[in-house]
Amino acid sequence: MLKLSHIYTAYGNIEALKDVSIDISQGGIAAIIGANGAGKSTLLNTISGVFSPKKGEIEFLGKRIDGLPAHAVVEMGISHVPEGRRIFPQLTVMENMEMGAYLRRGDKKAVKEDMEKGFAYFPILKERLKQYGGTLSGGEQQMLAIARALMSRPKLILLDEPSLGLAPMMVDRIFEIIKRINQEGMTILLVEQNANAALRLANKGYVLETGRVVMQGDAEALLKNPQLRAAYLGEG
């Protein structure tokens, strides 16, 4: 479904991604794990068109998307839930969700149906419909960010650190919803510092270190890898 071939992304003269190649199968969950500064967020930003790669190719459903502007990538069927959620704090919950459907403004009936589907995933958002995004709790903002991303009817959703800064109970709730969204047909690329939770959820995993893929494979096998467990799960 998604194929990155020999991607290099740079900030000025600093290479943040170096010869990164990954492929994501339709219907699965792929996890990208790694330490802070490994290039995980840069990878998602490169896929979603926030950054343009310096070299390499990105194919989505057989079509080149590297170099496309972000709105065109959304139109192709990729939604991005960025690190830190990035909801619109001075817009209401409803307005935030409507912003997620900005490419579908002429399809009001379907947009309303998708909003109700979002409320089925996150009932608390319906209770907060007229509340400003900035007044929501961290967990509620994360729910809103995911619901907003689903409003574009994506084929692939990119999730960047969905558990960041959340209480353990809320993390469990968010991961349950991610699993449910996947079971209902959504392909997911998940960036997550919680390597244990991410690999338990995913069917495929990639480990990034200083902008390079240093390990990849079946998520269950990676979870049992002694080298990975020592580096990311704190085991000796």
Side-chain angles (χ1 to χ4, degrees):
M1 185 181 208
L2 178 74
K3 184 176 182 180
L4 278 68
S5 304
H6 309 292
I7 290 293
Y8 289 78
T9 300
Y11 304 106
N13 294 323
I14 300 169
E15 283 189 335
L17 297 178
K18 307 161 190 173
D19 197 26
V20 170
S21 295
I22 67 172
D23 59 90
I24 310 301
S25 299
Q26 192 159 354
I29 300 178
I32 310 284
I33 63 172
N36 279 335
K40 305 185 303 295
S41 292
T42 301
L43 178 61
L44 295 196
N45 283 325
T46 301
I47 293 167
S48 65
V50 176
F51 302 144
S52 290
K54 191 170 137 187
K55 285 193 283 185
E57 296 182 1
I58 304 174
E59 286 187 10
F60 178 63
L61 296 173
K63 296 179 180 178
R64 288 278 297 272
I65 63 168
D66 49 282
L68 288 180
H71 70 272
V73 175
V74 175
E75 206 163 7
M76 294 279 289
I78 299 177
S79 276
H80 187 175
V81 180
E83 183 181 0
R85 303 178 274 275
R86 301 291 183 91
I87 61 157
F88 299 101
Q90 295 177 327
L91 297 183
T92 65
V93 166
M94 185 171 183
E95 288 166 341
N96 267 276
M97 291 182 71
E98 287 173 342
M99 287 295 287
Y102 77 98
L103 290 173
R104 305 171 54 211
R105 289 188 297 270
D107 197 6
K108 290 184 179 179
K109 184 181 177 185
V111 166
K112 189 175 180 182
E113 288 171 0
D114 287 348
M115 196 173 288
E116 289 300 326
K117 192 172 182 181
F119 296 146
Y121 289 131
F122 306 111
I124 192 70
L125 295 182
K126 193 163 190 176
E127 296 174 27
R128 305 274 193 269
L129 201 59
K130 295 183 179 179
Q131 195 169 320
Y132 290 113
T135 67
L136 301 177
S137 70
E140 289 165 353
Q141 287 186 12
Q142 187 63 66
M143 291 176 180
L144 178 56
I146 296 171
R148 179 183 62 183
L150 292 172
M151 290 297 294
S152 69
R153 283 199 177 174
K155 300 178 181 73
L156 168 67
I157 191 164
L158 313 178
L159 296 172
D160 195 349
E161 302 283 9
S163 74
L164 191 65
L166 302 184
M169 191 179 293
M170 183 57 73
V171 171
D172 291 344
R173 175 69 179 142
I174 292 293
F175 273 84
E176 282 173 14
I177 294 297
I178 292 170
K179 186 175 182 179
R180 181 178 159 192
I181 290 168
N182 172 250
Q183 288 172 339
E184 293 181 6
M186 182 68 64
T187 307
I188 295 170
L189 179 56
L190 170 68
V191 157
E192 181 56 60
Q193 272 198 307
N194 186 336
N196 188 48
L199 291 174
R200 288 185 186 282
L201 188 67
N203 53 279
K204 190 172 187 178
Y206 293 88
V207 181
L208 270 186
E209 284 183 10
T210 59
R212 296 183 185 278
V213 175
V214 296
M215 207 180 294
Q216 61 179 287
D218 177 78
E220 192 175 343
L222 285 176
L223 199 53
K224 294 174 183 175
N225 184 294
Q227 186 182 345
L228 183 142
R229 295 190 73 84
Y232 297 102
L233 303 180
E235 296 183 3

